[in-house]
Amino acid sequence: MKYKKGDKVTLIDINAPCVVEHATPYHEDGDQFANVYLQNIVNKARYVIPVAIQDKVIQGGHPAKTGPIHAQVDAEKQAPKLTLFQKVFGKK
């Protein structure tokens, strides 16, 4: 088996961190009846992924913190600090 219960994985399409709840025992990678059951860590949504396509949909480990929201937070952290005078009267 590629993944087992408790493994931390990422759902590639939505870049969601998940944990494997159950993996159906299977003997071949193309087994059409075997599934991997995932639960999203953030919103507790559940997903069922067929083993036949797991390589295209799931990757091991949690996703890196990237994207537009994280870029905006990083930009705000690196913004120059304004003095009280500049905050009140604007930057000149």
Side-chain angles (χ1 to χ4, degrees), residues 12-86:
I12 296 172
D13 296 344
I14 58 175
N15 200 29
C18 298
V19 66
V20 176
E21 286 191 328
H22 177 75
T24 307
Y26 59 92
H27 302 288
E28 300 175 11
D29 279 341
D31 189 354
Q32 61 184 340
F33 299 111
N35 294 313
V36 178
Y37 297 86
L38 306 175
Q39 183 176 19
N40 191 326
I41 292 175
V42 177
N43 62 6
K44 305 299 182 206
R46 296 175 191 257
Y47 306 100
V48 179
I49 309 297
V51 170
I53 63 166
Q54 70 180 350
D55 293 334
K56 299 174 188 170
V57 180
I58 304 171
Q59 71 181 14
H62 282 312
K65 293 182 179 180
T66 58
I69 293 174
H70 295 288
Q72 181 179 1
V73 170
D74 290 342
E76 288 175 2
K77 287 180 182 176
Q78 296 173 0
K81 300 290 182 186
L82 301 176
T83 64
L84 180 61
F85 184 80
Q86 290 173 330

